[in-house]
Amino acid sequence: MTSTTDAAPEARGGVVPYLQVDGAVKAAAFYVRAFGAEEVARHPVDEQGRTMHVHLYLNGGSLMLSDAYPEHGYPLQAPQAFSLMLPVDDIDAWWDRAVAAGAEVVTPLQVMFWGDRYGQLRDPFGVSWAMNAPVKG
């Protein structure tokens, strides 16, 4: 992990999700356990335990997190109408690790009509995660 005085880590991916959650440091720790993320940067927490920035590498891309700061115009709002897609090869290993870490199954892992194995989970912070893998063979 880098500190705020180190050079900023590279942002990976064509679109970088930046999630505002209740407990960015706890969410980052969950994503490390559940999805094998690597924390590469974090701003220090304030006196209320909030941080304005955590940068993770996850599945070849970047994911950034922050806490809500309603006093600065950034109130916490429940996630809605989106999911984060994880295209993976070993979907069973990814799925089992996430469920063991505490992700809630929303759509069970199954072969879908388009021919891939797919399922959806919800993490303890309300974010929906989809996993997709081609069926081999």
Side-chain angles (χ1 to χ4, degrees):
M1 177 176 62
T2 61
S3 71
T4 57
T5 58
D6 295 336
E10 171 190 11
R12 297 178 179 171
V15 174
V16 177
Y18 207 123
L19 305 178
Q20 184 181 51
V21 296
D22 183 16
V25 170
K26 289 179 183 177
F30 177 81
Y31 299 150
V32 168
R33 284 191 320 277
F35 302 120
E38 173 190 1
E39 186 174 313
V40 295
R42 179 194 305 180
H43 284 251
V45 296
D46 65 14
E47 60 281 347
Q48 296 173 348
R50 303 175 303 179
T51 184
M52 62 186 292
H53 182 73
V54 178
H55 187 158
L56 304 172
Y57 288 155
L58 195 160
N59 196 31
S62 287
L63 174 66
M64 298 181 185
L65 309 168
S66 73
D67 283 288
Y69 286 85
E71 69 274 24
H72 297 292
Y74 298 97
L76 185 65
Q77 298 175 338
Q80 54 187 319
F82 74 92
S83 63
L84 299 177
M85 171 65 81
L86 290 171
V88 297
D89 289 329
D90 189 357
I91 196 166
D92 291 306
W94 280 78
W95 185 267
D96 292 344
R97 179 178 57 197
V99 171
E104 172 192 356
V105 175
V106 175
T107 302
L109 191 58
Q110 59 194 293
V111 176
M112 300 302 279
F113 65 89
W114 60 85
D116 292 344
R117 291 190 70 216
Y118 174 90
Q120 276 198 7
L121 304 165
R122 182 171 301 110
D123 73 30
F125 304 90
V127 178
S128 294
W129 294 81
M131 290 188 196
N132 193 81
V135 173
K136 297 183 186 206

